[in-house]
Amino acid sequence: MNVIQAVKMYIIKMTEESGPGMKVILMDKETTSIVSMVFSQSEILQKEVYLFERIDSHSKWDDLKHMKCIVFLRPTSENIALLSRELKSPKYGAYFIYFSNVVSKADIKTLAECDEQETVREVQEVFADYLAVDRHLFSFNIVSCLHGRSWKQHHLQRCSQGLLALLLSLKRRPIIRYEASSEACARLAERVKELIRREAVLMDNNIPFNGDIPPPQLLVLDRRDDPVTPLLHQWTYQAMVHELLTIDNNRVSLAGVQDAPKDLKEVVLSSEQDEFYAKNLYSNFGEIGQTMKSLMDEFQKKAKNHQKVESIADMKNFVETYPLFKKMCGTVTKHVTVVGQLSSVVGSRRLLQVSELEQELACHADHTRHLQRLKAMLSDEAIAGTELVKLVCLYALRYEKHAANALPALIDSLKGRGAEHRTPALLLEYGGAHARQSDLFGLQDAAKITKRLFKGLSGVENIYTQHTPLLKDTLEDLIKGKLRENLYPAVGGELLNRRPQDIIVFIVGGTTYEEALCVHQINQSYPGVNVVLGGTTIHNSTTFLNEVKEAMHGQHRTHTRHIRNL
């Protein structure tokens, strides 16, 4: 079962258990996002849900005693208080209450005492306490989860509870491993283990023991170990849209796009609801252009056919195919608008030129040449300051220990351009060599040398997609049983003598769509292996650098001194 199926199953269960009749669904901010990620409004309407309400809104509806109320909330103290108030003076005829995670006996008792009119028909726990972004990708939408190297406590609690729900929904009882050098990973791994122990009865009731197969593994990683991946421009459709336009809960704002149709100020990009997007989210930008042309041709062909409405039979045929035609029309318009905007941004911001140097910095060591090209770009007024900041960040990471390191001069150039010149120093403190467990650039260089030896056999490499995330090497080592136990120990020292087939990876500090593509490719390359990827959030370069600044907040004087001493 994938994460989208797991969440959908719970929501369908909620709508069916309340029986036939008109229903309202009462949610909080987070559960609203959880539902909207996997169901469109029209799909929910088919389940006889006609009204969507927020528990924290103060809408003045009249009593709607003819309606049943499905309540879907996270079991927080704030939500319990709001629900208690609702039950004391109920607006609806009957309440079917579902919590997205484990709820305490004390909270159930509180609700029972408030239900004086006995309107509550059902109280259950369903374990849909995470955002199902794609079939193998989930998130908690938490930006800036750490302060320095330590968790913000409420975020640690949210992630550990969310991971418990994920395990219960996917019916996985894993060995938990974590990055040994990361205090944040160790804390989260221990907290999840503690929750599993505390909820042992629940785990036993929900997850059957299976001694015949290798146990699943939950691997907790730290974003700091690979600060390069979130900085790079991506060239696959989904990742490009997130980098250049930003995807927020499967929605993309086109409000600032000139000539965008009025009904396309915000578009939904969901692989569950959009067949074109599902087929092309991992296609590169060149392929997307070709696919868009085919889609346009097909659309025009169908449109021409529809112009020939000359008989009753033609009319009947048109009416029968009209919903599909209308849907296709919407899909074409939406994707033409999105791809057109991507193309416009790539051209105006000189992103092909920028991306080529990014890939070179990420994948090869050639200090003199890289410094020369970087200086040329810093003096090119056509290249935006935000792009220059990322290039200097990549230089800072790649050449941190280089004898001829020119970072202070590059930072001065950024300052001269009016760009955010403190960021490279903050990033070095966040994810420099001292903060990383892996040999990030050594691995990359070795892989590139091997690739070059075989280059003649496979044709010319695409210079814009040379980089592969560190996650790929980590996962391949795990699948082959080669992931070193001293670097990735198991909580409680459990034995790791079998290769896992089910793997859940969680990245503290956020994951990326490039890593989601890498997981998709691994799932295809290793039959029988199923990897699910999650993170505190899903980053593009802007949100990642904001996370770095937030984590390192207040420490930049030390960092600047460190840079000056290089």
Side-chain angles (χ1 to χ4, degrees), residues 332-548:
V332 170
T333 312
K334 176 170 77 176
H335 290 290
V336 164
T337 307
V338 171
V339 171
Q341 182 59 13
L342 293 179
S343 191
S344 167
V345 173
V346 168
S348 66
R349 282 167 43 184
R350 312 264 294 268
L351 295 187
L352 290 171
Q353 189 182 343
V354 169
S355 178
E356 188 178 340
L357 182 53
E358 283 179 353
Q359 292 284 328
E360 283 289 314
L361 283 163
C363 302
H364 307 286
D366 189 344
H367 183 262
T368 307
R369 185 161 158 271
H370 288 165
L371 184 57
Q372 190 181 4
R373 287 183 65 188
L374 190 45
K375 282 179 175 174
M377 284 203 184
L378 279 158
S379 60
D380 185 343
E381 292 296 326
I383 295 172
T386 50
E387 306 302 340
L388 297 172
V389 169
K390 287 187 284 179
L391 287 168
V392 174
C393 283
L394 288 165
Y395 173 92
L397 291 166
R398 159 66 73 180
Y399 296 114
E400 184 181 359
K401 305 287 188 186
H402 197 279
N405 183 295
L407 189 54
L410 294 173
I411 287 173
D412 284 341
S413 298
L414 284 178
K415 202 172 180 179
R417 284 289 304 266
E420 183 46 76
H421 62 280
R422 291 183 294 268
T423 305
L426 290 170
L427 182 65
L428 270 187
E429 186 61 25
Y430 172 90
H434 71 284
R436 299 195 303 267
Q437 178 170 286
S438 64
D439 177 12
L440 185 60
F441 293 106
L443 281 168
Q444 290 285 351
D445 289 338
K448 296 307 162 227
I449 290 162
T450 314
K451 266 191 183 172
R452 276 202 296 274
L453 294 173
F454 293 100
K455 192 174 172 183
L457 301 174
S458 59
V460 179
E461 288 179 85
N462 186 331
I463 55 170
Y464 303 110
T465 54
Q466 298 173 65
H467 174 262
T468 51
L470 175 66
L471 180 64
K472 184 171 188 285
D473 297 305
T474 309
L475 279 173
E476 288 187 333
D477 283 349
L478 179 58
I479 290 162
K480 292 168 184 171
K482 293 179 180 174
L483 197 65
R484 289 165 60 184
E485 289 184 40
N486 60 327
L487 297 180
Y488 300 93
V491 180
E494 290 188 65
L495 292 172
L496 301 167
N497 55 358
R498 299 174 81 181
R499 297 178 183 187
Q501 291 172 351
D502 269 304
I503 299 162
I504 297 163
V505 184
F506 185 77
I507 303 181
V508 176
T511 187
T512 65
Y513 284 119
E514 187 185 357
E515 284 156 332
L517 166 62
C518 158
V519 164
H520 168 72
Q521 290 166 337
I522 280 176
N523 283 335
Q524 287 189 318
S525 304
Y526 293 88
V529 170
N530 179 47
V531 183
V532 171
L533 172 67
T536 40
T537 190
I538 299 172
H539 280 308
N540 57 21
S541 61
T542 305
T543 60
F544 172 62
L545 289 176
N546 287 342
E547 177 124 0
V548 168

Side-chain angles (χ1 to χ4, degrees), residues 143-148 152 426 544-555:
V143 181
S144 105
C145 60
L146 304 178
H147 181 71
K152 293 176 182 173
L426 290 170
F544 172 62
L545 289 176
N546 287 342
E547 177 124 0
V548 168
K549 288 174 208 166
E550 198 66 36
M552 299 291 108
H553 186 64
Q555 299 176 50

Side-chain angles (χ1 to χ4, degrees), residues 147-189:
H147 181 71
R149 299 188 179 286
S150 304
W151 277 98
K152 293 176 182 173
Q153 280 309 304
H154 59 295
H155 290 329
L156 174 61
Q157 185 180 2
R158 173 70 187 97
C159 289
S160 53
Q161 288 173 338
L163 284 170
L164 175 71
L166 181 87
L167 296 175
L168 285 161
S169 69
L170 296 178
K171 303 199 181 304
R172 300 286 181 263
R173 192 192 299 265
I175 289 170
I176 304 171
R177 298 178 71 174
Y178 62 94
E179 201 167 299
S181 64
S182 167
E183 178 202 331
C185 289
R187 287 288 308 282
L188 179 59

Side-chain angles (χ1 to χ4, degrees), residues 173-215:
R173 192 192 299 265
I175 289 170
I176 304 171
R177 298 178 71 174
Y178 62 94
E179 201 167 299
S181 64
S182 167
E183 178 202 331
C185 289
R187 287 288 308 282
L188 179 59
E190 283 158 12
R191 183 68 70 89
V192 174
K193 187 75 173 176
E194 187 185 309
L195 284 177
I196 290 172
R197 265 197 301 267
R198 196 190 303 166
E199 302 299 340
V201 174
L202 187 61
M203 296 293 285
D204 290 346
N205 289 342
N206 273 272
I207 306 169
F209 272 101
N210 193 337
D212 299 332
I213 59 167

Side-chain angles (χ1 to χ4, degrees), residues 25-71:
I25 186 162
L26 185 64
M27 299 175 282
D28 60 37
K29 187 183 176 186
E30 284 192 74
T31 55
T32 302
S33 297
I34 288 165
V35 172
S36 70
M37 293 290 279
V38 297
F39 273 106
S40 66
Q41 199 157 343
S42 59
E43 285 176 306
I44 285 282
L45 283 168
Q46 287 167 15
K47 309 284 180 194
E48 296 184 291
V49 175
Y50 296 104
L51 197 59
F52 303 87
E53 276 286 291
R54 279 274 294 272
I55 188 96
D56 52 352
S57 75
H58 301 286
S59 56
K60 297 281 182 282
W61 293 101
D62 295 328
D63 281 359
L64 298 166
K65 294 285 192 277
H66 63 291
M67 292 186 84
K68 296 170 180 178
C69 180
I70 299 166
V71 180

